Structures are given as structure tokens and as C-alpha cells.
Amino acid sequence: KPRGRLPVPVNYSNLGVALLGFIVAQQLGGAYEATLVERLCDPLGLRDTRITLTADQQKRLAAPHTANGKPGHSWDLPAFAGAGALRSTANDLLKFLAANMANMGQPQSSVTDALLACHNTHTHTFAPAGRLQKLLSGLSRTGQTPAAYRQGMALGWAVGRLVSGETQIHWHHGATGAYRAFAGFTKSTGNGVVVLANTGLGLADALRNSTSTDALGFEVLERLNS
């Protein structure tokens, strides 16, 4: 652990996703990245979604920063590839969201049925907030995710409703030491939003399990569907 750096709490759901990615790749007879490229990225034309970057992709990678804006370091997660090793672009992620909204007139692909099957809600519960999360919630509402957005979990997607109405949303977020990301969409209206940032997750953000990229993404979805 780097000296002087505060530890980020372990997210056990990420450990589960990492293990699942490894198992799926093994069952399909390949390494995680190669399997993902063959089964998902190539069919959807996601040319810039990779773990191992080419020289050109490395040159275009946004410079990493810590939560306080200082130069940071990209994380390499070989043992946790399924939980956050991928690098991507806004264009690729928008293509991915469009593929998830194939029922709204977007082009069909060979993976459309598999993507749509991931939208079904499997549980309507979330892990209860810990003591530190409750304390932070009491001290500040900044960055808190409204309960309406967290009504259930599908396969890889959180499922909820927009605060402004009854429109259902599917969304996912993530962060490493130097980057944050949010992607969300509304199937009924065909709107999708991607927010990327090249600054890392602060300790308070990790404890709240929410960041400014989440807030921006939700706000844009609210406005697009108002």
C-alpha cells in the first residue's frame, strides 16, 4: 500500500464480479480480455474498449489524477479484470448503451438478446449502509444518491426510477484510483448518458458509494426525460 494513502473500503460485490468474469472466460475457453473482445466488443464495434492498449490508445488515454487533482497512476488489475480493468471511450460506451436499447429502434446485433436479458431485475434489496455511511449521510447530503435510483439490481445494472416521474432507469458506475465513470439509460424513451472523469475516488466518495459523475449522469437523465 503506498505510504500516506488512505485505504479505500473493500467492495465485496466487485470481488464477486471479478471472480465471475474469470469463471465465464475459463468456461468459454479463453482469457478474460480475449473472450470479451470476441464475444462483445467486436460484434458491437467497440474498438477502443480494451485492457491492453495499443500505442495509439495509450497516447489518447486521459492523464490520471488523484481525488485532489494531483498527478495519479492508472491501476492495472490483472487478478480483478472483470471488476475494473477495462479502458474505454465515451463513443464506445454510447455504442454499448445504444445496443442495450435495441428495442427502441436501435440496430440489432448478435448479442442483442443477451444484453436485453441482463435488464431483468433479480433483487429489490441493496446492502444496508454501514456506520460510516450513515454518519456521512447525516453530515452532508452532497453526492448522495436518491433512493429512487436504487430500487433493484439486474445483471450488472442497478435499476430504479427517475425522481421526476415513473421512468425506469438502468445504470452502472465505477471508479479506480485515477478515473470515474457513469453510464445510464432509459429504455422507454431511448435516452443514454455517459460521464467520464480522469480523477480518482476520494475516501468520502467511496464510503457514500457515489461520486460527482453519478450526480451529473442522473441530472442529465432527469432533464432529458422531464
Side-chain angles (χ1 to χ4, degrees):
K1 183 176 65 177
R3 181 178 299 175
R5 182 174 296 174
L6 290 172
V8 174
V10 174
N11 186 325
Y12 291 102
S13 64
N14 286 341
L15 297 179
V17 171
L19 179 60
L20 179 61
F22 174 80
I23 292 173
V24 169
Q26 291 293 302
Q27 289 296 310
L28 294 176
Y32 177 76
E33 181 177 18
T35 302
L36 190 69
V37 170
E38 176 188 354
R39 300 276 180 151
L40 183 68
C41 296
D42 283 351
L44 296 182
L46 310 182
R47 307 304 181 194
D48 279 321
T49 301
R50 299 290 189 274
I51 295 175
T52 306
L53 302 183
T54 65
D56 175 66
Q57 289 168 335
Q58 188 67 50
K59 187 184 302 182
R60 291 187 283 117
L61 182 66
H65 294 84
T66 64
N68 59 7
K70 295 181 179 180
H73 300 280
S74 297
W75 284 4
D76 292 313
L77 305 170
F80 294 88
L86 281 172
R87 281 89 168 182
S88 191
T89 62
N91 284 339
D92 268 17
L93 289 173
L94 287 171
K95 288 180 184 178
F96 180 67
L97 292 187
N100 276 274
M101 294 185 286
N103 62 326
M104 290 299 300
Q106 298 291 344
Q108 299 278 318
S109 75
S110 60
V111 297
T112 294
D113 289 343
L115 292 176
L116 296 182
C118 293
H119 299 170
N120 299 325
T121 302
H122 289 270
T123 178
H124 293 277
T125 61
F126 281 83
R131 292 182 179 179
L132 284 175
Q133 287 177 306
K134 291 179 180 178
L135 175 62
L136 285 171
S137 296
L139 293 175
S140 173
R141 292 294 175 183
T142 303
Q144 296 296 312
T145 303
Y149 300 147
R150 296 177 177 271
Q151 296 182 348
M153 282 298 303
L155 294 180
W157 295 106
V159 185
R161 300 279 176 180
L162 292 178
V163 174
S164 59
E166 292 300 313
T167 304
Q168 186 182 63
I169 59 172
H170 287 75
W171 61 277
H172 190 79
H173 66 180
T176 62
Y179 299 96
R180 287 170 288 140
F182 171 92
F185 63 96
T186 52
K187 292 177 67 175
S188 62
T189 59
N191 293 316
V193 174
V194 171
V195 183
L196 304 176
N198 60 332
T199 55
L201 195 67
L203 181 60
D205 293 325
L207 291 171
R208 285 193 301 252
N209 196 27
S210 180
T211 71
S212 59
T213 46
D214 294 8
L216 286 170
F218 289 130
E219 180 63 24
V220 174
L221 282 172
E222 293 282 359
R223 291 178 179 270
L224 288 174
N225 291 278
S226 61

